[in-house]
């Protein structure tokens, strides 16, 4: 029986790989066609087409060119390459993941290792210390930013929202300088001892926490703490700038501006899910004396083997280009296909109010739609860049953050993971513990990437209160 079961499993894996190879070859062709379709559509509806990452074209931003144009300047500060302009915009090139523009097709990936080539943003040759090659799409986005500031009359600012985005008030808030923040404090308005910051994951929103865990926090815990749940930049009811690259630095700075600085947060706990775990670690490193505890739920941490390009390794780990399981297929489409994922965004996100209404009618208004609100309320530009620049692009950064948490911070570290998580394997959480030995890992049987929170919110709220109380 065991031999037969093993043979059946091998046959299933072989069939999955064969079908996946054919399906993703077809999607490679569809992606090329969609690239042309969207260039034409963008030109007709917006008067210009936006750059995409399909091509391998690049533009050299040099010191000489910068002097001539007075617009884009490349410099090096503390070993970090920085692109800046005659506006307040600064772009650190190490914040940009090469997976944005180095995504080999199925056939190309079958003939060579995707880890062997970095591509994209390249350092200059030894003989030229002033030249830095930057992908043309990034240069065009920088020029669009300058246009917004009114300093470059040759490049029009990018429309926001775009024709392919939703135009409703929730998706396009009036305040574009700060994130949407849900705040709950003591009922009597009394002073608090500390605060708690909840950070959601990819294509989600603050509703992931406000509709699950926050209602189950006890009055005793609320009496001593303010509870903050944010919509990340580009998601939910937060701003969705069309000229942002949605880097880790931009996300963290917006959280600082919208929560820590605005509300005078001095001492706080962080609870983060999935992608939000990366932002939580970055905040902990930036505020080591202020963070009281770190609770990471299904963190996307993939230790990168030596000699391997980390960004490409994480890309294949998160999106293995397989048709099964279905969540892997969805992740693969989102990660590998810029224009196909934009099509999905148009169908779902642009018309999210229609989908939400249809779902309510179909369920006779018996099922709450907060997960749909989070899943649909974002733009393609936000999801595409966040996915690549944070999840894939943080491959090396997470290691450094975990080392700092291990060596320099004394805060409590707790990690939760669902044993049935098909998107991020439970090994991700065990890898965190291997890096931070004091971390406590709790694997919950029968729970996946979402139900680790959604279907055990009462238990999680009680466990979080225990964590917070231990740090008093």
């Amino acid at each position: 029986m065991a031999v037969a079961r093993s043979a059946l499993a091998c046959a299933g894996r072989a069939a999955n790989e064969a079908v996946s190879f054919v399906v993703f070859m077809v999607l490679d062709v569809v992606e090329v066609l969609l690239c042309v379709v969207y260039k034409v559509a963008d030109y007709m509806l917006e008067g210009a087409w936006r750059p995409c990452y399909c091509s391998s074209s690049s533009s050299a931003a040099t010191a000489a060119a910068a002097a001539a144009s007075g617009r884009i300047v490349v410099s090096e500060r503390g070993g970090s390459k920085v692109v800046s302009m005659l506006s307040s915009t600064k772009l650190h090139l190490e914040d940009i993941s090469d997976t944005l523009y180095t995504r080999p097709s199925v056939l190309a990936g079958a003939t060579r290792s995707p880890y062997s080539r970095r591509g994209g943003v390249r350092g200059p040759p030894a003989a030229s210390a002033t030249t830095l090659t930057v992908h043309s799409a990034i240069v065009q986005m920088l020029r669009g930013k300058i246009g917004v500031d009114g300093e470059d009359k040759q490049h029009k600012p990018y429309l926001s929202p775009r024709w392919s985005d939703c135009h409703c008030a929730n998706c396009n808030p009036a305040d574009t300088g700060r994130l949407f923040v849900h705040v709950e404090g003591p009922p009597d308005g009394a002073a608090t001892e500390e605060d708690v910051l909840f950070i959601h994951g990819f294509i989600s929103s603050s509703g992931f926490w406000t509709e699950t865990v926050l209602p189950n926090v006890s009055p005793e815990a609320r009496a001593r703490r303010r509870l903050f749940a944010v919509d990340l930049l580009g998601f939910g009811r937060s701003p969705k700038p069309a000229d942002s690259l949605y880097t880790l630095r931009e996300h963290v700075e917006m959280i600082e501006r919208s929560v820590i600085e605005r509300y005078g947060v001095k001492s706080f706990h962080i609870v983060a899910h999935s992608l939000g775990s990366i932002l939580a670690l970055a905040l902990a490193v930036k505020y080591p004396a202020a963070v009281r505890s770190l609770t990471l739920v299904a963190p996307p941490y993939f230790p990168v083997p030596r000699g391997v390009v980390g960004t490409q390794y994480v890309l294949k780990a998160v999106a293995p280009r397989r048709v099964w399981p279905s969540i892997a297929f969805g992740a693969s489409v989102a990660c590998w296909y810029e224009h196909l994922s934009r099509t999905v965004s148009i169908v779902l996100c642009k018309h999210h109010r229609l989908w939400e209404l249809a779902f309510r009618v179909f369920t006779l208004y018996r099922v709450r739609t907060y997960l749909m609100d989070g899943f649909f309320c974002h733009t393609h530009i936000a999801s595409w860049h966040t996915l690549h620049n944070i999840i894939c692009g943080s491959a090396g950064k997470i290691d450094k953050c975990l080392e700092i948490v291990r060596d320099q911070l004394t805060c409590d570290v707790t990690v939760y993971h669902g044993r049935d998580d098909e998107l991020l394997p439970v090994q991700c959480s065990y890898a965190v513990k291997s890096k931070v030995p004091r971390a406590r890992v709790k694997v919950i049987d029968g729970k996946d990437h979402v139900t680790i929170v959604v279907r055990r919110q009462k238990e999680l709220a009680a466990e979080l209160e225990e964590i917070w109380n231990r740090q008093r």
Side-chain angles (χ1 to χ4, degrees):
M1 180 64 75
V3 174
R5 189 179 294 117
S6 177
L8 186 61
C10 290
R13 284 193 295 270
N16 190 19
E17 291 182 4
V19 173
S20 299
F21 184 82
V22 174
V23 168
F24 284 98
M25 271 208 310
V26 173
L27 293 182
D28 285 342
V29 176
V30 173
E31 177 75 357
V32 174
L33 297 176
L34 286 176
C35 179
V36 177
V37 169
Y38 283 125
K39 284 188 181 297
V40 174
D42 290 345
Y43 188 81
M44 293 179 62
L45 296 172
E46 297 180 350
W49 54 64
R50 287 195 57 154
C52 65
Y53 295 101
C54 292
S55 67
S56 59
S57 60
S58 58
S59 298
T62 65
S69 66
R71 291 290 179 259
I72 299 178
V73 179
V74 179
S75 60
E76 185 169 354
R77 298 175 186 173
S80 172
K81 297 293 183 183
V82 179
V83 176
S84 58
M85 297 160 286
L86 294 185
S87 66
S88 60
T89 304
K90 292 184 178 65
L91 176 66
H92 295 249
L93 294 182
E94 70 271 16
D95 292 344
I96 302 172
S97 172
D98 66 333
T99 58
L100 279 169
Y101 37 77
T102 306
R103 290 168 282 109
S105 65
V106 173
L107 285 176
T111 56
R112 62 176 173 80
S113 169
Y115 311 134
S116 61
R117 171 174 172 254
R118 290 184 181 272
V121 180
R122 300 178 177 86
S128 176
T130 59
T131 302
L132 189 69
T133 302
V134 184
H135 193 277
S136 59
I138 297 170
V139 172
Q140 290 298 324
M141 293 193 80
L142 291 177
R143 288 171 174 167
K145 270 185 177 287
I146 302 174
V148 170
D149 294 333
E151 298 179 13
D152 193 337
K153 305 304 181 183
Q154 296 179 345
H155 296 89
K156 298 180 180 180
Y158 291 129
L159 296 176
S160 182
R162 304 188 65 190
W163 70 267
S164 54
D165 299 331
C166 177
H167 287 62
C168 75
N170 277 348
C171 291
N172 299 276
D175 185 357
T176 59
R178 289 184 296 206
L179 304 177
F180 171 82
V181 183
H182 175 93
V183 186
E184 296 185 12
D188 57 0
T192 56
E193 301 172 4
E194 56 191 18
D195 301 310
V196 184
L197 173 61
F198 291 85
I199 308 176
H200 65 78
F202 184 59
I203 55 174
S204 186
S205 71
S206 56
F208 185 80
W209 298 112
T210 61
E211 300 290 336
T212 57
V213 173
L214 266 65
N216 292 286
V217 175
S218 69
E220 292 78 15
R222 292 173 179 273
R224 298 193 300 270
R225 303 174 181 92
R226 290 180 296 179
L227 309 178
F228 298 96
V230 300
D231 284 350
L232 294 177
L233 182 66
F235 298 88
R237 285 170 282 183
S238 284
K240 302 168 180 64
D243 56 1
S244 173
L245 288 169
Y246 295 89
T247 62
L248 180 64
R249 194 181 307 269
E250 288 176 281
H251 278 285
V252 170
E253 288 176 352
M254 282 296 282
I255 293 175
E256 289 179 290
R257 184 187 313 160
S258 306
V259 180
I260 297 176
E261 296 173 1
R262 181 182 182 185
Y263 292 96
V265 174
K266 302 299 182 183
S267 175
F268 61 104
H269 304 268
I270 305 179
V271 183
H273 176 248
S274 191
L275 173 143
S277 300
I278 301 174
L279 303 179
L281 288 169
L283 283 168
V285 168
K286 196 163 188 178
Y287 295 91
V291 174
R292 305 294 303 280
S293 72
L294 272 173
T295 302
L296 311 179
V297 183
Y301 175 49
F302 296 88
V304 180
R306 290 183 178 273
V308 170
V309 180
T311 53
Q312 295 290 333
Y313 178 83
V314 173
L315 173 62
K316 290 208 70 177
V318 173
R321 283 199 286 202
R322 291 290 181 267
V323 296
W324 188 261
S326 57
I327 195 169
F329 178 72
S332 298
V333 171
C335 288
W336 288 92
Y337 300 103
E338 179 181 2
H339 302 293
L340 190 57
S341 60
R342 184 181 180 187
T343 303
V344 174
S345 181
I346 292 174
V347 172
L348 298 180
C349 301
K350 181 178 174 65
H351 304 97
H352 71 91
R353 290 171 294 179
L354 179 61
W355 289 107
E356 291 163 9
L357 176 61
F359 182 81
R360 291 190 184 103
V361 172
F362 181 76
T363 60
L364 301 179
Y365 289 80
R366 294 176 180 175
V367 180
R368 305 185 72 176
T369 60
Y370 63 90
L371 288 178
M372 294 181 66
D373 296 342
F375 185 79
F376 290 155
C377 292
H378 65 271
T379 63
H380 172 254
I381 290 175
S383 60
W384 177 256
H385 287 91
T386 297
L387 180 60
H388 284 276
N389 286 335
I390 295 188
I391 292 184
C392 297
S394 62
K397 299 183 182 73
I398 298 182
D399 279 327
K400 296 178 182 177
C401 288
L402 289 173
E403 290 170 1
I404 294 175
V405 169
R406 178 193 65 202
D407 299 335
Q408 300 181 25
L409 276 70
T410 59
C411 66
D412 183 279
V413 181
T414 306
V415 186
Y416 287 90
H417 216 111
R419 194 176 297 279
D420 296 341
D421 194 330
E422 293 182 325
L423 180 62
L424 299 175
V426 70
Q427 285 77 15
C428 290
S429 289
Y430 287 128
V432 171
K433 182 172 179 59
S434 68
K435 204 74 175 179
V436 185
R438 74 174 184 275
R440 290 187 296 274
V441 177
K442 298 184 179 181
V443 178
I444 310 300
D445 292 330
K447 303 300 180 183
D448 58 26
H449 196 68
V450 175
T451 57
I452 184 67
V453 173
V454 171
R455 292 183 181 174
R456 62 180 306 271
Q457 53 262 41
K458 291 183 179 180
E459 296 90 338
L460 181 58
E463 292 163 359
L464 288 174
E465 289 186 33
E466 292 179 7
I467 293 171
W468 304 336
N469 291 332
R470 281 200 300 265
Q471 303 304 306
R472 294 182 65 187

